[in-house]
Amino acid sequence: MEQGTAEPRPEARVRTPGAGGLLPGPRRPLRHSVRGQVLDALRQALAAGELLPGEVYSAPVLAERYGVSATPVREAMQQLAGEGAVEVVPNRGFRVCERSSRDLAELAEVRTMLELPAIVRLARAVRPERWEELRPLADEGVAAAARGDRAGYADADHAFHQALIALTGNRRLTQVTGDLLRRAQWSGGGGARLRTAELLADASEHTALLDALVAGEHAVVERIAREHLSAARHPH
């Protein structure tokens, strides 16, 4: 059925993988909205460690788990494959990728090469009030970290970095750095699961970076950004 011609349907819901509950969706799911809900649920399951590195998951089994058809699950898994979170296993499903320490270090190195110069340039060009607009995103990350909510922190971390780099006005840079962060977030078996205190330390660096940007402390901005990007310890 074409978009814009569908009759209203009952509300769609997507099951969360761990809780057995239902996530309320929009009034009637067009395919892309169901796919979006499934994609969000899968990202949360990956970040929370509910989908295990090295394990193969079939679309029909996941579809039953989420209470949807297999098609949006396959579509969401294909997107995650493009992000490096899973890989296709022909005739079986999708295997959750594992990340080695070297993988994470290389991702951190590339992110530093791209994001650090951009942040340094922005520090000299962006007005303090624009930086304050990012404060709610930093606060959201701190709140998620304080709860020990790895999935919530993964989303907040991604949103903060995307909003920051978007200030360059370079859409390609924003897209590439966002993809690299997602790949780092799917740390799999190669990345250590950080405790709540370590999550908070990571989140607090966003706040410290904003404070330095607002104050115009350019040397401090560069130091914090370099340490944050090069640490290779994103815990998601």
Side-chain angles (χ1 to χ4, degrees):
M1 184 173 293
E2 297 295 329
Q3 293 187 20
T5 63
E7 295 296 326
R9 304 285 184 86
E11 180 178 292
R13 297 172 184 270
V14 176
R15 296 183 183 275
T16 59
L22 297 175
L23 296 176
R27 172 179 291 273
R28 160 56 193 147
L30 296 172
R31 176 176 294 182
H32 72 271
S33 62
V34 176
R35 172 178 172 273
Q37 291 179 71
V38 172
L39 181 61
D40 287 344
L42 287 169
R43 281 177 170 160
Q44 290 172 13
L46 284 162
E50 294 169 0
L51 298 179
L52 301 176
E55 292 293 320
V56 177
Y57 297 89
S58 73
V61 169
L62 288 173
E64 183 176 356
R65 191 174 183 177
Y66 293 147
V68 298
S69 69
T71 298
V73 174
R74 289 193 185 95
E75 292 173 344
M77 278 295 203
Q78 289 289 349
Q79 179 162 340
L80 289 172
E83 295 175 1
V86 301
E87 58 185 3
V88 178
V89 181
N91 302 318
R92 292 184 60 195
F94 301 86
R95 179 184 291 113
V96 178
C97 294
E98 300 184 72
R99 291 279 188 270
S100 67
S101 297
R102 178 174 178 175
D103 291 331
L104 293 175
E106 289 178 349
L107 284 166
E109 182 178 10
V110 176
R111 288 188 64 209
T112 300
M113 293 170 66
L114 292 175
E115 291 189 52
L116 182 60
I119 293 171
V120 170
R121 290 196 304 271
L122 287 170
R124 300 180 181 278
V126 175
R127 300 186 306 274
E129 56 268 26
R130 291 296 306 276
W131 294 122
E132 288 294 354
E133 293 173 7
L134 273 62
R135 188 75 64 178
L137 296 175
D139 291 344
E140 184 179 345
V142 171
R147 298 192 302 270
D149 180 359
R150 290 179 175 84
Y153 182 63
D155 287 341
D157 185 33
H158 191 267
F160 177 85
H161 282 274
Q162 288 283 269
L164 193 159
I165 298 302
L167 291 174
T168 64
N170 188 321
R171 294 173 298 172
R172 297 298 184 187
L173 179 62
T174 304
Q175 180 181 12
V176 169
T177 56
D179 177 68
L180 288 169
L181 176 53
R182 284 293 190 202
R183 290 173 184 272
Q185 287 176 335
W186 312 141
S187 58
R193 308 296 293 181
L194 300 193
R195 297 186 297 271
T196 297
E198 293 168 313
L199 281 173
L200 275 169
D202 200 67
S204 68
E205 291 175 355
H206 293 163
T207 300
L209 178 62
L210 282 183
D211 290 343
L213 286 164
V214 170
E217 298 174 339
H218 301 147
V220 177
V221 167
E222 183 170 0
R223 176 181 58 80
I224 294 173
R226 185 184 300 278
E227 291 175 355
H228 182 69
L229 293 166
S230 64
R233 60 178 169 82
H234 286 284
H236 324 308

